[in-house]
Amino acid sequence: MVRTPLTPEERERGERLGRLLREARGSRSMTDVAASAGLSAETLRKIETGRAPTPAFFTVAALAGALGLSMDELIGRCAPGAADVPGTPDASIAA
């Protein structure tokens, strides 16, 4: 099966998701968060680094639950045109 190449927008959305998850994870270890979500640390690493820019819905939902994020917030922050200022934590996702 051949996968359709990702669009630049899909790649950018995956990068935003990765940054948001890293920010929300804060000082918690990648292993701890991944285990809480029922994922491998390698899967979380791929998502956070943008190497897996289109994770499955249930994977994202599990990570959101483990990090105390709402799906509405994730969607809003990862949507095209969402505000994303590197290095500026959003107080609404402080862990």
Side-chain angles (χ1 to χ4, degrees):
M1 182 173 145
V2 176
R3 290 186 178 195
T4 305
L6 297 174
T7 66
E9 292 80 17
E10 289 170 324
R11 282 192 207 101
E12 185 179 318
R13 185 177 58 230
E15 290 170 2
R16 281 194 304 268
L17 174 62
R19 283 191 298 269
L20 175 60
L21 294 174
R22 273 193 311 275
E23 183 181 300
R25 183 166 55 85
S27 63
R28 289 178 63 187
S29 75
M30 190 175 287
T31 305
D32 176 52
V33 171
S36 294
L39 306 171
S40 71
E42 183 58 22
T43 297
L44 179 54
R45 180 177 290 106
K46 286 179 181 178
I47 294 168
E48 284 190 358
T49 61
R51 289 185 6 235
T54 57
F57 172 81
F58 292 105
T59 299
V60 175
L63 285 168
L67 293 168
L69 299 172
S70 75
M71 291 299 290
D72 287 338
E73 182 173 15
L74 280 177
I75 290 167
R77 299 266 321 271
C78 292
D84 184 27
V85 179
T88 307
D90 182 346
S92 65
I93 64 164

